Amino acid sequence: MSASTNKPSAGPKPPVVLPGGTGNNIIINSNQRLNPLLECIRNVGKEFGDIVPDFQVGRTTCVLYLSLKYHRLHPEYIHQRIERLGHSYSLRILLLLCDVSEHQDPIRELTKICLINNITVMVAWTVDEAGLYLSTFKQYEHKPPDLIKERVDKDYNSVLRTSLTSISRVNKTDVETLRTSLGSFADIAKTPADRLQALPGFGQVKVKKIKDAFEKPFRNHATSTLLSTYNTASASTVVCDTDGKGKGKEKATSQPESSTTTRIRPPREPSPVWDIELDLDRDININSPESGPPPVTRPPEKGPNSKDNGEVKRARSPSPIWDIELDLNGSDEEDNQDGKGKGKARFGAAELL
């Protein structure tokens, strides 16, 4: 791959190459020539190239560099750079230089942008730290991921130390004290709290953390079964009071406290009787056998439609008489003798004749 030549200058500069370049150098965008960050990139080679991102630290890894102070002056800059980058490179990194005091909101905004565009965010607080990140990215380009994983030996003492130090406030010295004083992992788990407090370096808080790790259930109260919600100190009975619109109100009647009482949900009340099921031409006690389904039990109250014994009566005035139900050939005297206010037939057959 051929390299393009530069005009001669006073000081030495890295050669300008294409993105392929040499595999041991960081490829730098030509727009970053005056960036003071370049002086902080050490222990790796540097060369300028015609690339879209600011830095290329691997064959499939690129870095966009952004100063928060510059982002406050030009908030549209990073959007244009991400748009130009498109879907290139497998690993895309946004290296932020936090050089402003109010940095929470800009970092939160940039994090959202990076989540949408599949970009990893790295925050540096100084220029030297940002240059160290770039050097590390290049140095670890071909390193396996196992290189940065924690190495745990397979012997018993190492596994015991790793498991017990995962408990809060327990360090390696405490693990050695537990191992030499109590023995195996099973003996440590079964040791009572008073004996643990007798060991050197074990206070009340540390002992409580250890006992919680061995005895406290993994599931908390929020994820417990629904049945436990009914094991309360007092049981209550719910009475449904239904109004004319079909809405109910719940009233709880407390009962004597009992530690072993289990709250049982009462049976569902029957549905209220609809008007279509009632005989609307006369007063009816809906508790009578011929009135249909039983009514809803109402709390004792006095009103126009209730009695003191809880029975409910529904009374409704008769419906008005339509003209089609009248005898148009009858006389006015028959209409007056009806007694129910049916009225007169003004347009009878006799009057028409």
Side-chain angles (χ1 to χ4, degrees):
M1 191 172 292
S2 61
S4 60
T5 59
N6 291 330
K7 296 180 180 180
S9 58
K13 292 183 179 180
V16 178
V17 298
L18 296 177
T22 58
N24 299 326
N25 297 339
I26 294 179
I27 304 176
I28 306 172
N29 193 316
S30 301
N31 297 330
Q32 301 293 327
R33 288 181 179 275
L34 302 179
N35 194 333
L37 176 63
L38 301 183
E39 300 178 359
C40 301
I41 301 177
R42 305 179 181 91
N43 302 325
V44 292
K46 297 174 287 186
E47 56 188 25
F48 291 101
D50 186 11
I51 58 176
V52 176
D54 295 327
F55 303 94
Q56 180 175 322
V57 294
R59 293 287 181 178
T60 59
T61 306
C62 70
V63 177
L64 292 176
Y65 179 75
L66 179 64
S67 169
L68 292 183
K69 184 180 296 184
Y70 185 84
H71 177 67
R72 292 174 60 178
L73 298 175
H74 306 279
E76 74 284 350
Y77 168 77
I78 188 62
H79 296 277
Q80 298 174 359
R81 297 300 306 277
I82 294 176
E83 184 178 0
R84 289 182 55 194
L85 187 62
H87 299 282
S88 303
Y89 300 95
S90 300
L91 177 59
R92 301 122 64 88
I93 301 172
L94 176 62
L95 182 58
L96 297 177
L97 177 62
C98 186
D99 51 359
V100 295
S101 57
E102 300 295 333
H103 54 79
Q104 291 85 356
D105 292 339
I107 291 179
R108 186 182 300 110
E109 174 192 355
L110 292 171
T111 302
K112 294 178 181 179
I113 296 173
C114 292
L115 286 174
I116 297 173
N117 295 278
N118 192 23
I119 299 176
T120 304
V121 180
M122 299 292 295
V123 181
W125 302 93
T126 60
V127 180
D128 292 334
E129 183 181 358
L132 180 61
Y133 280 143
L134 292 174
S135 303
T136 305
F137 291 153
K138 187 61 181 178
Q139 291 173 353
Y140 284 79
E141 177 184 1
H142 302 290
K143 300 295 182 179
D146 298 338
L147 187 65
I148 59 175
K149 289 185 179 180
E150 182 182 5
R151 294 182 179 87
V152 180
D153 297 332
K154 300 301 181 181
D155 60 296
Y156 180 80
N157 293 333
S158 300
V159 175
L160 178 66
R161 186 186 308 110
T162 303
S163 60
L164 291 180
T165 51
S166 61
I167 303 174
S168 177
R169 297 179 179 272
V170 178
N171 51 35
K172 295 181 180 180
T173 304
D174 298 332
V175 175
E176 292 299 323
T177 303
L178 292 172
R179 186 180 63 84
T180 56
S181 301
L182 302 178
S184 64
F185 184 85
D187 296 334
I188 297 173
K190 297 177 182 179
T191 303
D194 53 353
R195 185 178 178 185
L196 290 176
Q197 291 184 5
L199 298 176
F202 285 81
Q204 183 177 1
V205 177
K206 185 179 296 184
V207 171
K208 184 178 182 303
K209 295 290 184 181
I210 296 175
K211 299 306 293 182
D212 289 345
F214 289 116
E215 299 176 358
K216 193 174 181 180
F218 291 102
R219 301 183 65 181
N220 54 18
H221 297 287
T223 57
S224 59
T225 58
L226 297 177
L227 183 60
S228 61
T229 59
Y230 296 99
N231 298 328
T232 56
S234 61
S236 61
T237 303
V238 179
V239 180
C240 182
D241 182 13
T242 307
D243 56 9
K245 296 182 179 180
K247 297 180 180 179
K249 300 180 180 179
E250 293 182 355
K251 298 181 180 179
T253 304
S254 61
Q255 294 182 357
E257 296 182 356
S258 174
S259 59
T260 60
T261 302
T262 301
R263 183 177 177 181
I264 302 176
R265 186 181 297 274
R268 183 177 179 182
E269 299 290 345
S271 302
V273 180
W274 291 68
D275 292 344
I276 195 173
E277 301 178 9
L278 301 177
D279 187 0
L280 303 180
D281 293 335
R282 59 186 179 88
D283 295 341
I284 293 179
N285 185 351
I286 61 175
N287 286 335
S288 59
E290 63 272 12
S291 60
V296 179
T297 304
R298 299 170 61 91
E301 62 178 359
K302 295 182 179 181
N305 296 331
S306 64
K307 291 185 177 181
D308 294 338
N309 57 1
E311 297 180 355
V312 181
K313 285 189 176 183
R314 297 288 300 272
R316 184 167 178 172
S317 59
S319 303
I321 304 301
W322 293 70
D323 292 343
I324 194 172
E325 300 179 9
L326 299 178
D327 187 4
L328 301 181
N329 295 325
S331 61
D332 295 340
E333 295 181 357
E334 294 179 355
D335 295 334
N336 294 332
Q337 293 177 0
D338 193 328
K340 295 183 180 181
K342 294 183 178 179
K344 299 180 180 180
R346 298 181 178 179
F347 300 99
E351 295 180 359
L352 293 177
L353 295 175

